[in-house]
Amino acid sequence: AQSVTQPDIHITVSEGASLELRCNYSYGATPYLFWYVQSPGQGLQLLLKYFSGDTLVQGIKGFEAEFKRSQSSFNLRKPSVHWSDAAEYFCAVGSNTGNQFYFGTGTSLTVIP
Amino acid sequence: EAGVAQSPRYKIIEKRQSVAFWCNPISGHATLYWYQQILGQGPKLLIQFQNNGVVDDSQLPKDRFSAERLKGVDSTLKIQPAKLEDSAVYLCASSLHAGQSYEQYFGPGTRLTVT
């Protein structure tokens, strides 16, 4: 069965520092992978997605993620974090044969000045 | 374009009471989803509609939860009777079509507290 693990419950970074949020998935075939961001009181917003092709995916707000099949990972990165990036980040995996989404438990990001 | 609308934004009820949530998807979106997000967890799909038909309701607790999507547009999710463990944020999302290649757009959610 599909599952997603986000090992880091909470991360704190300084503004301007680089960021990497970890995501590991379990899926038997080629997964569809997503990163969503959820700001307080807001709905989930899609940052980026991977279906196939280039394993380095560019998203909105300066985020990118790299699909590594050998490590079953899809880590999210940003070279320089802004205070407005403070939010909850969710990794999700979907099947390419159905519509089911499986979300990780999320990583809460705090940005300090 | 207008986003996914949900109401109410907050609801507090006592256990064993009933409650209903409303969702208005983005115009023209055929697929509608209801998710339950318990504090500290990721969203969990409860039910998916394609137009006014149910595609997947395998994780919907059917003894107390029900949902409908009349005329393939708006949708309501009902809980009757509510239990303490139903305290969560209920998210509605819509997409143009079913399938992973279509982005899901999420509403702001309804925060339910059951006391």
Side-chain angles (χ1 to χ4, degrees), chain A residues 1-89:
Chain A
Q2 297 96 315
S3 67
V4 176
T5 301
Q6 294 181 248
D8 304 304
I9 296 174
H10 186 254
I11 284 182
T12 300
V13 298
S14 299
E15 191 169 14
S18 63
L19 171 70
E20 182 169 27
L21 302 182
R22 296 183 291 165
C23 172
N24 294 98
Y25 68 89
S26 173
Y27 187 66
T30 300
Y32 286 12
L33 294 162
F34 308 81
W35 273 100
Y36 281 85
V37 61
Q38 186 176 35
S39 298
Q42 304 293 317
L44 290 153
Q45 182 183 22
L46 181 66
L47 287 175
L48 47 78
K49 59 187 177 184
Y50 171 80
F51 290 166
S52 64
D54 192 348
T55 56
L56 185 62
V57 181
Q58 301 297 320
I60 62 171
K61 304 185 179 186
F63 286 93
E64 67 177 26
E66 186 171 12
F67 171 60
K68 293 185 177 180
R69 183 187 300 275
S70 61
Q71 298 177 21
S72 297
S73 70
F74 189 57
N75 295 348
L76 181 71
R77 300 194 294 250
K78 187 169 184 178
S80 178
V81 171
H82 188 262
W83 64 267
S84 60
D85 293 325
E88 189 88 14
Y89 291 81

Side-chain angles (χ1 to χ4, degrees), chain B residues 34-59:
Chain B
W34 282 103
Y35 290 85
Q36 179 192 57
Q37 185 178 15
I38 294 173
L39 186 65
Q41 300 182 18
K44 181 185 80 172
L45 180 68
L46 292 176
I47 189 168
Q48 177 187 343
F49 292 94
Q50 179 69 16
N51 296 311
N52 60 352
V54 175
V55 173
D56 184 352
D57 63 357
S58 57
Q59 298 193 87

Side-chain angles (χ1 to χ4, degrees), chain B residues 17-34:
Chain B
Q17 286 186 323
S18 62
V19 64
F21 312 127
W22 174 81
C23 173
N24 180 234
I26 293 174
S27 177
H29 279 196
T31 309
L32 185 146
Y33 311 79
W34 282 103

